[in-house]
Amino acid sequence: MKRIKIKELLERSATGKEVTVKGWVKAFRSRRFIALNDGSTINNVQIVIDFENFNENLLAKITVASAISVTGALVQSQGAGQSVEIQATTLEVLGEAHPDEVSKTILQPKRHTLEKLREQAHLRFRTNTFSAVFRVRHALAFAIHKYFNDKGFVYLHTPIVTGSDAEGAGEMFRVSTLDPANPPKNEEGNIDYSKDFFGKETNLTVSGQLEAELGALALSEVYTFGPTFRAENSNTTRHLAEFWMIEPEVAFNDLNDNMDLAEDFLKYCITHVLENCTDDLAFLETRLKDEEKSKPQDQRAEMALIDKLKFITDNEFVRLTYTEAIDILRNSKPNKKKKFEYLIEGWGTDLQSEHERFLVEKKFQKPVILTNYPADIKAFYMRQDDELPEAKPGMEVGPTVSAMDVLFPGIGEIAGGSQREERYENLIKGVNKFGIEEETVWWYLETRKFGTVPHSGFGLGFERLVLFCTGMGNIRDVIPFPRTPNNAEF
C-alpha cells in the first residue's frame, strides 16, 4: 500500500480506511502506544498495537528513534491528545536505533540546550523545535520565489566567486588554488595572483547586488536569492560567515518605489507563514513563552510570536528620514537619562539596534523605514541626494544618500537598500572615496554609459527573516549547518 504523509492523514481524518504510514518513533508507551512522526508536520500520529498479535522479537526492535512502517485502520481515538489513531495490523522495522547509542545523543527524549543541539546538527532536524524552524524556513523561501515570480521578476543567479567587493568592506574569503606553503611571487615580492586559477585575486561574494543591477538595466525587474559570505570574526547571535541573501533590483524605481516594494514584499512573506505554518508557529510560540519565563522581567519579549508577526502585516510602515530620527532619539528619555548604551550626541551617528528598536517599539509602535542617511556611513553605490536635509536648530548636517533601512521589533534592521547612483561622475567619486580600485568594477561603471536610468533595490538577509518569524534567539539556529568562526563542522 502507498504511504500517506502524516500531515495529510491528520488533515483528512478519513476514518474507517486502511492506511500505511512511515516515520520515526518519538515514544513507545506501555508496549502499546507508539507516537510516530515523519517530518511533514509538528504533530505525531498515535499507533495502537495489540502486542499479542506481533512477534516479541519484532516489538523489541521498536525503540525511540527507530524507523518503522505501519499499516492499519484509521479510527477515532479513544484517548486524549489526538482525534484519530491507527490500529496496527502490520509492522515493519525499517531501521533500528539502539537505546545505548540513542542515550548518548539529542534523540534521547528529554530537554536539551540549543548549544547541545548545535553540536549534533546532523540529528537536530529530528527535534520538534528544529523540524518546526526548517518548515517555516521552507515556507518563507517558497513565498519569496512566488512573490517575485507573480510580480514578473526574473530570477538571476549571480556569481559566488567574484573579483570585486560590493560593500567595500574587505571582509571576504579568498578563493585560490595556489600552494599556500609556496605561492608564486612577483618582482615586488607579493603573491602573484596572475598565476592563480582565475588569473587574478578572487573571493567569495558578499553580495550579488552589483551583478543584479546589470540584469535590471536590461530585464527591468530581477532578484537574486543565493549564498553570500563575510569573513567577519564575530561570534554574536546575529552573525554568520555563510548566509543567504535576497536582493531585488528594479529599473526605473526611485527611493519611494523601493520602500513600497520592501513593505509589500515583507508583508506578503509573513502573511504566507501565518496562513501556512499554523501548527509550527503555535508550537514555537509556546516554546518561546516557556523560555521567557526563565528570564528576568525586564528582559522578556513584549509581544508573543504570532502577535509580533501580525504587528508587521496589520500596520502601515512609518517612514521618516534619518535626520528626523536623530532629532527624536537625541531628545528621547533613554538618551537624556543615559540609558542607551550608545548615546546619540549629534547628526552623523551610526544607529545601533537599541536606537532602531526604540523607534519601532516605543516611539511609533509600528514598523519603521528610515531614509536619507549620511553619505559617510553608507556604501559607494547609493545615490547622492541633491539637497542637504533640513536641520533643527543646533544640529549640523552633511550630504545624504537615498538609502533606506526597514526596522522591525525585537531585531532592528531587517532589510537595507537604496536608490542606486546612476550618474557616472558621482559614481566614480564614490568608488574613489571608498578606496575601491576602478579596474575591479569597470564593468559596473560602464553600465552608466549605455542608457543609464534611475534604479533601486534592497538586500534582505534570509536568516534574519527566519529568525524573526520563528522567535529563535540565535541566528545559528535558523540555518541547517551554521558557519561561524572556528566552526565548519558537518
Side-chain angles (χ1 to χ4, degrees):
M1 181 178 291
K2 186 177 180 180
R3 169 203 171 214
I4 183 172
K5 292 183 180 180
I6 292 174
K7 183 180 192 313
E8 184 181 351
L9 182 79
L10 297 177
E11 287 175 348
R12 283 187 186 178
S13 294
T15 56
K17 293 185 177 180
E18 189 174 63
V19 297
T20 295
V21 293
K22 299 179 182 182
W24 294 270
V25 175
K26 290 284 189 174
F28 189 7
R29 297 183 293 108
S30 307
R31 289 171 49 80
R32 180 170 171 79
F33 303 105
I34 297 174
L36 194 70
N37 190 281
D38 65 1
S40 63
T41 172
I42 193 73
N43 301 307
N44 304 322
V45 66
Q46 178 164 280
I47 313 297
V48 182
I49 294 175
D50 186 346
F51 63 86
E52 293 180 353
N53 296 333
F54 293 94
N55 182 280
E56 178 65 31
N57 291 332
L58 174 65
L59 295 181
K61 295 178 181 179
I62 300 175
T63 61
V64 170
S66 61
I68 64 173
S69 174
V70 180
T71 299
L74 185 68
V75 300
Q76 291 290 332
S77 178
Q78 301 302 308
Q82 63 277 326
S83 59
V84 294
E85 61 191 21
I86 297 173
Q87 291 182 338
T89 55
T90 63
L91 278 170
E92 180 184 359
V93 176
L94 303 176
E96 294 184 48
H98 300 285
D100 56 335
E101 292 296 325
V102 170
S103 67
K104 301 173 186 176
T105 72
I106 58 174
L107 298 179
Q108 186 180 7
K110 69 174 187 177
R111 185 178 291 274
H112 301 280
T113 67
L114 292 174
E115 182 61 40
K116 183 71 174 178
L117 294 173
R118 279 178 224 127
E119 292 171 2
Q120 298 181 28
H122 60 307
L123 298 175
R124 67 177 181 170
F125 297 104
R126 296 272 199 100
T127 66
N128 287 337
T129 295
F130 284 94
S131 65
V133 166
F134 292 120
R135 279 189 295 268
V136 171
R137 183 182 172 106
H138 161 77
L140 283 168
F142 175 82
I144 288 163
H145 285 299
K146 180 166 174 47
Y147 177 86
F148 286 122
N149 180 73
D150 292 353
K151 293 284 185 182
F153 281 65
V154 175
Y155 180 29
L156 202 65
H157 295 106
T158 53
I160 293 174
V161 177
T162 179
S164 63
D165 181 356
E167 301 296 331
E171 297 167 336
M172 304 179 77
F173 290 101
R174 184 173 293 115
V175 175
S176 176
T177 60
L178 297 177
D179 181 356
N182 187 31
K185 301 289 184 68
N186 56 27
E187 292 179 357
E188 289 77 28
N190 299 318
I191 295 176
D192 185 0
Y193 286 104
S194 68
K195 301 292 195 299
D196 209 345
F197 185 89
F198 293 106
K200 62 184 293 187
E201 187 173 1
T202 52
N203 306 281
L204 295 178
T205 186
V206 298
S207 169
Q209 178 205 312
L210 302 190
E211 292 87 354
E213 284 188 50
L214 313 186
L217 293 174
L219 302 169
S220 288
E221 298 171 326
V222 304
Y223 75 104
T224 76
F225 186 179
T228 50
F229 309 84
R230 193 180 295 275
E232 182 179 359
N233 190 15
S234 175
N235 261 313
T236 76
T237 59
R238 291 291 185 268
H239 290 90
L240 290 166
E242 175 185 285
F243 51 99
W244 288 67
M245 286 288 291
I246 302 102
E247 296 173 293
E249 290 291 331
V250 186
F252 315 112
N253 266 16
D254 62 15
L255 182 61
N256 287 321
D257 298 321
N258 205 31
M259 289 190 282
D260 291 342
L261 177 64
E263 180 172 348
D264 188 58
F265 167 70
L266 285 163
K267 285 183 173 180
Y268 177 92
C269 292
I270 293 172
T271 298
H272 180 85
V273 168
L274 284 167
E275 292 176 349
N276 293 278
C277 300
T278 308
D279 291 342
D280 288 321
L281 289 178
F283 171 83
L284 291 168
E285 180 170 87
T286 300
R287 177 200 164 275
L288 186 59
K289 286 178 180 178
D290 291 341
E291 189 179 74
E292 292 290 303
K293 291 176 184 177
S294 64
K295 295 181 180 179
Q297 190 71 35
D298 62 343
Q299 294 181 19
R300 296 180 184 178
E302 296 186 5
M303 283 186 281
L305 177 60
I306 294 172
D307 289 340
K308 186 177 68 170
L309 300 184
K310 291 181 177 179
F311 178 87
I312 305 302
T313 60
D314 295 350
N315 282 306
E316 294 299 313
F317 292 15
V318 173
R319 303 179 182 189
L320 73 158
T321 67
Y322 166 90
T323 302
E324 292 168 330
I326 283 292
D327 188 56
I328 291 169
L329 291 166
R330 188 177 59 169
N331 293 302
S332 68
K333 285 184 179 179
N335 198 59
K336 288 183 175 179
K337 293 183 177 181
K338 302 186 183 306
K339 290 189 175 181
F340 281 144
E341 182 179 354
Y342 299 92
L343 296 178
I344 300 293
E345 296 179 352
W347 196 92
T349 303
D350 199 355
L351 299 185
Q352 304 297 319
S353 178
E354 61 178 341
H355 308 133
E356 296 167 342
R357 291 185 59 184
F358 173 83
L359 294 170
V360 173
E361 298 166 24
K362 303 298 183 184
K363 175 63 180 178
F364 295 105
Q365 298 180 358
K366 290 182 178 181
V368 171
I369 305 180
L370 287 186
T371 66
N372 306 97
Y373 281 80
D376 287 345
I377 61 173
K378 288 296 181 180
F380 77 93
Y381 49 73
M382 296 186 175
R383 193 182 198 278
Q384 185 88 36
D385 290 329
D386 296 324
E387 298 178 1
L388 289 178
E390 184 177 342
K392 296 281 184 177
M395 184 187 294
E396 295 184 8
V397 300
T400 59
V401 289
S402 296
M404 67 164 205
D405 284 342
V406 183
L407 313 181
F408 273 14
I411 202 167
E413 181 192 341
I414 190 80
S418 73
Q419 185 172 337
R420 313 311 189 188
E421 182 57 82
E422 83 277 12
R423 298 163 294 187
Y424 180 80
E425 294 78 10
N426 285 22
L427 192 58
I428 285 288
K429 290 178 183 176
V431 166
N432 293 331
K433 174 182 174 182
F434 281 84
I436 299 170
E437 296 179 6
E438 290 183 30
E439 58 267 28
T440 65
V441 290
W442 65 268
W443 43 271
Y444 181 74
L445 297 170
E446 276 214 348
T447 59
R448 274 58 176 177
K449 297 179 180 179
F450 307 111
T452 185
V453 299
H455 59 288
S456 66
F458 61 85
L460 171 68
F462 184 48
E463 282 72 30
R464 188 161 287 199
L465 180 61
V466 180
L467 195 73
F468 180 79
C469 289
T470 59
M472 300 300 286
N474 193 317
I475 203 163
R476 303 176 193 200
D477 296 327
V478 298
I479 191 169
F481 304 104
R483 297 291 180 252
T484 53
N486 299 313
N487 177 36
E489 199 64 58
F490 306 103

